[in-house]
Amino acid sequence: EAADQQEERHPKFNFLLFGDSSVGKSSLFHRLIMDHSSKTLTTLTLATITAKSISVSFRLVPVDDDIVKLIIWDTVGAYSIIMPAFLNIADCIVFVCDVTNEETFRSIEAHWLQKMLTQKCRPDTLICLMGNKCDRSESRVVNAAQLKGLAERLHTPFWFEV
């Protein structure tokens, strides 16, 4: 009980992963949880909607002289009626595309960003762009300049390739 009370004192940071199916959101999600001690992370399935799950995990992360509770939401490609509620709690939204599939890149602006804008996330929510599957260089069709250009259109300096 004391540990639960202590954990609740930690600042929370909600981190949402959005993108088409098969872009690697769940792989990124699992990499975050597999690379860390099970003592600091708990995973559970929050809901199942039309055979797709929304998973949430959290872990305690040291930041400067404090500990932050990082809560990671994996939408598993689903944008359901409950997702707008998650936008209201999002501190950071990461749009993920597969750099070997240009359609997933175009879908960020055409689909995912439009969903977010119509549902109105908080104005202080950080927006990030992540190009995934960069290790498949022979199949790559989305380059770094395209990712940077989209990040500029999203008005975010935060874009990554993994």
Side-chain angles (χ1 to χ4, degrees):
E1 188 175 324
D4 289 340
Q5 289 175 346
Q6 182 180 5
E7 183 178 316
E8 290 306 313
R9 289 187 292 199
H10 299 305
K12 294 181 176 97
F13 190 82
N14 285 287
F15 187 98
L16 277 67
L17 301 174
F18 282 112
D20 290 351
S21 294
S22 301
V23 296
K25 294 179 308 300
S26 295
S27 293
L28 292 168
F29 178 85
H30 289 293
R31 182 168 179 187
L32 283 170
I33 62 176
M34 296 301 282
D35 286 350
H36 295 87
S37 166
S38 61
K39 288 183 178 181
T40 62
L41 184 74
T42 302
T43 303
L44 60 106
T45 297
L46 180 65
T48 301
I49 302 163
T50 63
K52 295 191 179 205
S53 294
I54 298 166
S55 297
V56 60
S57 289
F58 62 89
R59 69 181 182 92
L60 301 178
V61 180
V63 176
D64 297 327
D65 294 331
D66 202 356
I67 301 226
V68 173
K69 185 176 184 180
L70 179 63
I71 305 168
I72 308 157
W73 301 85
D74 178 8
T75 62
V76 196
Y79 192 93
S80 69
I81 58 172
I82 67 169
M83 289 314 296
F86 293 121
L87 290 176
N88 291 328
I89 65 163
D91 296 300
C92 180
I93 296 174
V94 179
F95 291 107
V96 183
C97 71
D98 173 354
V99 298
T100 69
N101 181 336
E102 191 169 4
E103 182 59 34
T104 67
F105 173 75
R106 286 191 300 242
S107 180
I108 290 172
E109 272 185 300
H111 177 73
W112 294 103
L113 183 60
Q114 293 307 313
K115 292 273 191 193
M116 185 191 77
L117 290 175
T118 60
Q119 299 299 327
K120 306 284 188 214
C121 69
R122 292 188 347 238
D124 62 340
T125 301
L126 297 173
I127 304 296
C128 298
L129 175 62
M130 185 172 294
N132 196 23
K133 303 184 184 180
C134 291
D135 57 325
R136 298 183 183 171
S137 58
E138 70 286 346
S139 303
R140 187 172 184 155
V141 294
V142 177
N143 63 41
Q146 289 171 287
L147 289 169
K148 183 179 180 189
L150 179 54
E152 289 170 357
R153 290 192 300 280
L154 294 175
H155 305 287
T156 181
F158 306 107
W159 65 278
F160 309 92
E161 295 181 306
V162 293

